[in-house]
């Protein structure tokens, strides 16, 4: 993990996470220059490196400021941008009242360097609006907590997402932000940038195995697929839940809903790592898709009480990790299904034996 590689100032944030394999390298580049975003690049070289022209990156025209050496080693690149946070209330059951959104490209972000942990492989982007006339962020902040992984495993905190060494996790956190209504709900806008020949699709999978995330049976994945061979190149994956506590428990769950994925007809914020890597053709040569993820408990009361909201999403390359039935769940299913079956078999055998045994009071005649 490198903070602002090649740049000595902490006035801006750029975090480079590099995962080196025997024949390939994965690059994650997180930044709050413009809207908070992450650039994901997979290469087929074990020694590929990130290069940055800082003068150009911090200029009004950052195109070409970020590249990978050697350029021919790149096999897949994409970007995820967290653009806006919306707040709305349900004035009536079929009517929603939206407040002016929080544009994350206009936020002021603290230095990642103060939260960077090279041992735990974690870092945190924390920001507040540059101008806050309503004072809603007077005692609060918005944060993106990044975690990288070296091996396959499961996160210890709910929703306990299963991860691999090819993935990283980001946790979106609203803490202490004053809602503008008694029943406020929040909505996060997420945009993705794809190369030509790659499309994003939203998938939903349900499972009866909720051992690690009690009562949550739905897993959602936003996957990037090649149009040529339909292979999955990268993904975002999350459980259909958020939480309203710093130490989340099942009862702290907040409803989480993903809305329809659609092509974005707007341009991404300028002066960001997206333009720096993909150039000025974002939206034309490179396609942009947008997805809204909304959070809200019963009438928004969960956030009203705790003033805390966290949502975790996994980002990575290749196929999303797939949960299998754990030994505990398999044992429970075996007992639940096997016991009635065993009783049925024993009962059938007893009935058959009883039918074969005939009673008679007459003695046999010799």
């Amino acid at each position: 993990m490198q903070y602002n590689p090649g740049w000595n100032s902490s006035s801006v944030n750029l975090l480079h996470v590099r995962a080196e394999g025997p024949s390939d390298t994965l690059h994650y580049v997180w930044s709050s220059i413009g809207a908070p975003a992450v650039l994901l690049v997979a290469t087929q070289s074990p020694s590929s490196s990130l290069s940055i022209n800082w003068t150009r990156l911090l200029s009004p025209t950052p195109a070409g400021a970020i590249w990978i050496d050697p350029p021919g080693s790149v096999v897949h690149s994409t970007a995820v941008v967290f653009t806006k946070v919306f707040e709305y209330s349900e004035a009536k059951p079929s009517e929603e009242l939206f407040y002016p959104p929080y544009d994350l490209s206009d936020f002021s972000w603290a230095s990642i360097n103060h939260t960077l942990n090279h041992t735990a492989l974690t870092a945190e982007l924390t920001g507040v609006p540059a101008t806050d006339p309503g004072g809603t962020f007077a005692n609060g902040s918005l944060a993106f907590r990044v975690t990288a992984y070296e091996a396959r495993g499961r996160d210890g905190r709910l929703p306990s997402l299963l991860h691999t060494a090819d993935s990283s996790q980001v946790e979106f956190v609203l803490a202490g932000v004053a809602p503008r209504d008694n029943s406020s709900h929040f909505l996060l806008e997420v945009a993705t940038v794809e190369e030509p020949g790659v499309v994003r699709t939203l998938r939903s999978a349900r499972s009866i195995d909720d051992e690690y995330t009690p009562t949550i049976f739905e897993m959602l994945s936003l996957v990037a697929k090649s149009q040529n061979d339909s292979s999955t190149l990268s993904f975002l994956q999350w459980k259909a839940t958020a939480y309203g506590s710093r130490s989340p428990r099942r009862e702290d769950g907040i409803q989480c809903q993903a809305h329809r994925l659609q092509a974005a007809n707007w341009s991404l914020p300028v002066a960001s790592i997206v333009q720096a890597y993909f150039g000025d053709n974002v939206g034309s040569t490179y396609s942009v898709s947008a997805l809204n993820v909304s959070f809200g408990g019963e009438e928004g009361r969960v956030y009203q009480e705790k003033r805390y909201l966290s949502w975790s999403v996994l980002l990575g390359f290749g196929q999303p990790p797939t949960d299998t039935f754990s030994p505990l769940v398999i044992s429970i299913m075996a007992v639940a299904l096997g016991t009635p079956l065993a009783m049925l078999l024993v009962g059938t055998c007893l009935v058959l034996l009883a039918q074969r045994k005939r009673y008679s009071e007459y003695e046999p005649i010799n």
Side-chain angles (χ1 to χ4, degrees):
M1 301 179 76
Q2 295 176 296
Y3 174 66
N4 288 351
W7 186 254
N8 294 325
S9 173
S10 60
S11 59
V12 294
N13 287 316
L14 188 145
L15 177 66
H16 177 215
V17 182
R18 184 175 182 271
E20 183 179 316
S23 60
D24 56 4
T25 308
L26 307 178
H27 300 269
Y28 295 86
V29 185
W30 299 86
S31 177
S32 60
I33 304 173
V38 56
L39 175 67
L40 295 86
V41 183
T43 72
Q44 55 185 0
S45 168
S47 58
S48 63
S49 60
L50 175 73
S51 298
I52 304 173
N53 183 328
W54 281 96
T55 303
R56 182 179 297 178
L57 177 62
L58 300 178
S59 73
T61 56
I66 294 178
W67 67 96
I68 298 292
D69 283 324
S73 65
V74 176
V75 293
H76 175 61
S77 56
T78 183
V80 179
V81 188
F82 303 97
T83 53
K84 294 179 182 179
V85 172
F86 295 88
E87 183 180 350
Y88 65 96
S89 64
E90 295 183 353
K92 296 179 181 179
S94 60
E95 182 179 335
E96 295 174 346
L97 172 63
F98 277 83
Y99 294 92
Y102 297 111
D103 190 336
L104 301 187
S105 64
D106 294 332
F107 271 46
S108 175
W109 301 92
S111 173
I112 292 180
N113 202 31
H114 301 312
T115 62
L116 187 59
N117 187 325
H118 290 274
T119 303
L121 301 179
T122 58
E124 184 172 327
L125 272 171
T126 304
V128 295
T131 59
D132 186 21
T136 56
F137 276 79
N139 298 310
S141 64
L142 181 150
F144 293 94
R145 296 174 180 168
V146 178
T147 304
Y149 300 107
E150 293 181 310
R152 185 180 178 89
R154 190 179 296 277
D155 194 68
R157 286 162 45 91
L158 289 175
S160 305
L161 293 175
L162 180 67
H163 61 257
T164 67
D166 297 341
S167 60
S168 295
Q169 180 174 287
V170 59
E171 183 182 4
F172 166 69
V173 177
L174 271 179
V177 179
R180 288 174 279 188
D181 191 88
N182 292 331
S183 59
S184 283
H185 294 63
F186 291 94
L187 184 150
L188 176 65
E189 184 179 69
V190 183
T192 62
V193 180
E194 304 301 339
E195 299 171 303
V198 178
V199 294
R200 283 276 179 181
T201 56
L202 181 63
R203 298 174 178 172
S204 174
R206 294 182 178 273
S207 171
I208 63 172
D209 188 355
D210 68 339
E211 177 185 357
Y212 299 103
T213 314
T215 73
I216 307 300
F217 302 98
E218 184 180 14
M219 177 78 81
L220 295 120
S221 301
L222 186 59
V223 298
K225 299 182 64 176
S226 171
Q227 291 179 318
N228 295 331
D229 54 9
S230 298
S231 59
T232 301
L233 303 173
S234 59
F235 65 88
L236 281 77
Q237 186 184 60
W238 66 94
K239 283 276 193 177
T241 185
Y243 292 94
S245 172
R246 297 180 186 274
S247 302
R249 300 168 298 173
R250 182 178 63 84
E251 53 267 31
D252 300 318
I254 297 176
Q255 295 174 6
C256 171
Q257 182 179 1
H259 299 262
R260 184 173 61 90
L261 179 68
Q262 56 187 350
N265 56 1
W266 41 263
S267 60
L268 292 174
V270 296
S272 69
I273 58 172
V274 175
Q275 276 78 17
Y277 181 82
F278 290 102
D280 296 324
N281 295 324
V282 175
S284 55
T285 304
Y286 301 96
S287 61
V288 180
S289 301
L291 174 76
N292 291 331
V293 182
S294 60
F295 316 98
E298 183 181 359
E299 299 179 0
R301 291 175 184 168
V302 175
Y303 183 80
Q304 294 290 334
E305 295 173 359
K306 304 290 184 67
R307 296 286 177 94
Y308 191 88
L309 166 67
S310 70
W311 173 64
S312 299
V313 57
L314 196 71
L315 306 92
F317 297 92
Q319 289 281 358
T322 303
D323 266 320
T324 56
F325 286 113
S326 65
L328 174 62
V329 173
I330 293 175
S331 301
I332 293 173
M333 292 175 63
V335 171
L337 298 177
T339 301
L341 182 61
M343 293 177 64
L344 179 62
L345 290 174
V346 171
T348 303
C349 293
L350 291 175
V351 170
L352 292 175
L353 289 174
Q355 289 180 345
R356 293 186 60 183
K357 183 181 178 180
R358 295 180 179 179
Y359 176 79
S360 175
E361 60 182 6
Y362 295 100
E363 294 291 334
I365 299 175
N366 187 352

